[in-house]
Amino acid sequence: MKYAKTKECLNQAVADLTQLKTVVRQQHWYMRGPEFLKLHPYLDDVMDELDGQRDLIAERLITIDGSPYSSLQEALDHTKIESHPGKWGVPTPERFATIVAGYRVIEKDYADCIKAADSEGDYSSSDIVTTCNDDIEKRIWMMQAELDKAPEIDK
């Protein structure tokens, strides 16, 4: 089967992007406080970006004869990002730390996908995922800056 490792990695990214969008949505819904008016629309942008990446990666997977996870159950069965019930009263730094932890999982997914795609000669998938990874690293940097921390990409 052509691009077997790449397909597996791309599907893992689909599952984790689906779950991370849900995590961000939860933080978005359960947010209150003085930063609400600034951060609520920011998280809308984050969700849009995650959804766009998921669609791009799923469509690439279809292009190379793969079958992306397309149900919530499939995403839940395969995601590496934890799920927790929503809570009121969580401070913004804790909310962002939860989101950044999910981004770190996606960052690892993308590194694995780039390696797999390159090793299998699927340079189009590698290029797509590299571009998505650039956006993920930028989001990590921005959220870490909001928390008054360095991006810590090299950890």
Side-chain angles (χ1 to χ4, degrees):
M1 179 161 65
K2 194 171 184 182
Y3 305 141
K5 291 187 288 185
T6 302
K7 290 175 189 175
E8 183 180 326
C9 288
L10 292 176
N11 233 348
Q12 183 62 57
V14 168
D16 289 335
L17 286 162
T18 300
Q19 177 64 4
L20 183 55
K21 183 179 176 190
T22 301
V23 167
V24 174
R25 166 90 47 216
Q26 180 183 66
Q27 301 307 318
H28 172 85
W29 283 345
Y30 279 83
M31 182 177 286
R32 290 182 179 160
E35 296 138 335
F36 177 84
L37 289 177
K38 176 180 90 170
L39 296 180
H40 198 262
Y42 174 76
L43 292 181
D44 281 326
D45 292 341
V46 168
M47 287 183 288
D48 289 345
E49 181 178 68
L50 291 170
D51 199 41
Q53 287 189 10
R54 180 180 57 181
D55 190 54
L56 185 65
I57 289 170
E59 288 175 351
R60 177 63 189 164
L61 191 50
I62 293 166
T63 300
I64 60 173
D65 290 324
S67 301
Y69 299 135
S70 60
S71 73
L72 292 176
Q73 191 61 56
E74 287 175 304
L76 286 173
D77 289 345
H78 294 94
T79 189
K80 295 180 283 180
I81 298 174
E82 292 185 33
S83 180
H84 302 284
K87 280 191 332 192
W88 296 107
V90 175
T92 297
E94 192 176 321
R95 289 193 186 285
F96 270 37
T98 297
I99 295 169
V100 168
Y103 269 112
R104 300 262 188 226
V105 171
I106 303 293
E107 182 182 36
K108 170 89 169 67
D109 289 345
Y110 287 171
D112 292 345
C113 286
I114 292 164
K115 286 178 195 165
D118 285 349
S119 74
E120 294 179 324
D122 181 6
Y123 303 113
S124 293
S125 290
S126 181
D127 186 53
I128 288 167
V129 175
T130 298
T131 299
C132 291
N133 189 63
D134 290 347
D135 294 337
I136 292 293
E137 287 180 348
K138 185 174 180 181
R139 283 290 178 191
I140 291 171
W141 159 54
M142 293 177 132
M143 287 189 181
Q144 290 288 89
E146 180 70 20
L147 299 173
D148 198 23
K149 293 182 178 181
E152 300 173 352
I153 293 293
D154 57 356
K155 283 196 168 195

